[in-house]
Amino acid sequence: MTEQWTTDHKVTLLAQVESRPAAADSQGQRWMERRHTGLVLAACNCGWTTGWVPKDQMPSTAELLGRHGVPMP
Ligand SMILES: [Zn+2]
């Protein structure tokens, strides 16, 4: 018998970053400034995702563990 393919639960966590060109330094070089927006996202290989949500609205680790297994670092 051929085994069925399954979409395993494997959660990825992302933190949103925004950037802007900084003022030129003494060499005239412009670097990109980056910072976190405070939004985070959890997405599972099964298709489930929180979308971008404020950090304090992210489901608890216990909920993630219960529904989708161990989050990947
Ligand atoms: Zn899942």
Side-chain angles (χ1 to χ4, degrees):
M1 188 183 94
T2 306
E3 298 292 335
Q4 293 295 308
W5 291 91
T6 59
T7 50
D8 297 335
H9 297 295
K10 187 181 273 191
V11 175
T12 300
L13 300 175
L14 295 174
Q16 189 180 56
V17 172
E18 60 186 0
S19 63
R20 66 177 180 182
D25 65 16
S26 58
Q27 315 292 311
Q29 184 75 45
R30 297 189 77 186
W31 303 89
M32 294 301 285
E33 290 184 292
R34 295 179 204 286
R35 67 177 185 180
H36 286 116
T37 63
L39 297 182
V40 293
L41 177 153
C44 185
N45 182 62
C46 72
W48 172 86
T49 180
T50 59
W52 291 114
V53 294
K55 218 177 218 177
D56 60 4
Q57 288 176 29
M58 177 59 66
S60 67
T61 303
E63 190 177 336
L64 288 175
L65 286 171
R67 294 178 58 180
H68 299 281
V70 181
M72 304 301 286

